[in-house]
Amino acid sequence: MSSVFVNVVPVFILILIGWMTAKTGILKEETGDALGEFVFKIAVPMLIFRTLADAHFEGASPFRLWTAYFLGVAITWGTGHLIAKHIFRRDAKIGVIAGMSASFANNVFIGLPLVAHIVGKDGLVAISILLAIHLPLMMVAGTILMEGATSKVDGGGKRSLPAILKQVGSNLARNPLVIALIFGLVFNFLGLHLTAALATVIDQLSAAASPVALLSIGMALTRYPIRGDIGLSGTAAVLKLTLMPAVVFLMSYLLGLPKDWTAALVLTSSVPTGINAWLIAQRFRSGQSLAASVISITTAFGVLTVGFWAWLLS
């Protein structure tokens, strides 16, 4: 157990350092934004490209991987939604935000560094495959459900599915992670190889992804204080840190995924909630404090639950 926490604790210490530097004013808030932009647009895309460019898939199908993970998402999201509506008596919009907050893992900024540190290269391949459809599916589902809930609660019409898909598709076409994934797979399938000089540059940028991502998410946490709806946000946090990885673990086992892929999926499903849930809440002006609280609570207690899942998988 101690060796597991030696691998897990540094991840959260870097998040804490980022939070402290922003909270104390050592670094300005704008610095965290710049670091996050560097991670999202350069460092992580380079890591994804490098991982996939020379990965050995050995005929492995991504469909079992996607099935295992997104069944965990669906069950956790649905549970969070139903609890918000029927136990806490919140409206449909809050139900969507509760479900999304309970199931939208921070795969890029925390999951990817964690898997790289604990599982290694094969785990990164699994995460890269997951990221290929994670953001599109989650954002499309969140937007469609919030459009429907808003129409139900506030009245008025809602956008058509083609209009939503067009907007999300346009955003994804410019998404650096999606572009890196496509280029990495094409590079791999064509059997191309990087020159020594180019490989060194890409490796150096890739190496910056993990520490800078963790520092930037720590700095961003200063914007998400725990306030209001503590009962519901605490419940959503418990679902995120316990139910979701448990379901993903069970499904990965039943579907016979390779050990490293199982470890990667379970670990990334156990990490704190990502800011995308808050972005959806902010856009539809409902549940902002709920989403913000879940982000902070899951990050505060994530070291314990992630440590448990890492120990279970070791």
Side-chain angles (χ1 to χ4, degrees):
M1 176 65 89
S2 60
S3 62
V4 169
F5 274 95
V6 166
N7 287 323
V8 173
V9 169
V11 171
F12 288 87
I13 289 178
L14 283 169
I15 295 174
L16 178 62
I17 291 173
W19 181 83
M20 291 178 62
T21 56
K23 196 70 174 177
T24 58
I26 295 175
L27 292 176
K28 296 180 180 179
E29 188 176 283
E30 295 78 17
T31 304
D33 294 336
L35 290 176
E37 194 167 4
F38 165 76
V39 168
F40 185 74
K41 293 184 177 180
I42 298 177
V44 168
M46 288 296 101
L47 178 59
I48 290 175
F49 170 79
R50 190 72 168 103
T51 300
L52 294 179
D54 58 0
H56 299 288
F57 295 103
E58 298 174 350
S61 169
F63 295 104
R64 286 185 300 156
L65 181 150
W66 291 333
T67 300
Y69 187 87
F70 286 106
L71 278 175
V73 168
I75 290 172
T76 308
W77 189 321
T79 302
H81 191 137
L82 291 174
I83 288 176
K85 286 190 64 178
H86 299 292
I87 295 180
F88 288 91
R89 302 297 180 182
R90 301 296 195 269
D91 63 33
K93 292 195 294 183
I94 296 297
V96 174
I97 297 302
M100 194 173 193
S101 297
S103 58
F104 206 131
N106 196 332
N107 291 333
V108 175
F109 285 85
I110 303 179
L112 195 147
L114 181 71
V115 169
H117 194 58
I118 295 179
V119 184
K121 190 170 183 178
D122 286 342
L124 284 177
V125 171
I127 295 302
S128 298
I129 293 172
L130 173 63
L131 289 176
I133 66 169
H134 179 262
L135 185 61
L137 279 183
M138 296 296 284
M139 294 306 287
V140 167
T143 302
I144 291 173
L145 289 174
M146 279 302 287
E147 291 271 358
T150 299
S151 176
K152 180 179 179 181
V153 174
D154 301 333
K158 59 181 180 179
R159 290 188 301 167
S160 65
L161 178 58
I164 295 173
L165 293 177
K166 181 180 179 180
Q167 178 193 350
V168 175
S170 176
N171 293 336
L172 290 174
R174 302 188 299 271
N175 188 300
L177 304 183
V178 175
I179 295 171
L181 185 138
I182 293 172
F183 272 93
L185 290 175
V186 170
F187 207 86
N188 186 306
F189 294 151
L190 292 179
L192 303 176
H193 299 281
L194 296 169
T195 64
L198 188 56
T200 299
V201 172
I202 292 176
D203 287 343
Q204 289 177 338
L205 289 171
S206 300
S210 293
V212 178
L214 295 170
L215 289 171
S216 67
I217 195 64
M219 296 181 72
L221 282 175
T222 58
R223 302 173 181 171
Y224 309 116
I226 300 174
R227 63 186 181 202
D229 250 348
I230 299 301
L232 180 54
S233 58
T235 301
V238 170
L239 294 176
K240 175 68 204 65
L241 297 176
T242 58
L243 177 61
M244 184 172 170
V247 176
V248 172
F249 177 79
L250 177 62
M251 295 310 305
S252 297
Y253 173 77
L254 293 177
L255 292 171
L257 291 182
K259 180 179 179 181
D260 286 343
W261 282 27
T262 296
L265 287 189
V266 174
L267 285 174
T268 198
S269 68
S270 72
V271 303
T273 298
I275 63 171
N276 300 77
W278 182 85
L279 294 176
I280 289 287
Q282 184 76 354
R283 177 182 169 191
F284 287 91
R285 300 187 181 280
S286 180
Q288 296 98 317
S289 62
L290 168 62
S293 295
V294 176
I295 292 170
S296 294
I297 294 171
T298 53
T299 304
F301 292 96
V303 64
L304 300 176
T305 53
V306 170
F308 167 77
W309 290 108
W311 168 75
L312 187 66
L313 293 162
S314 62

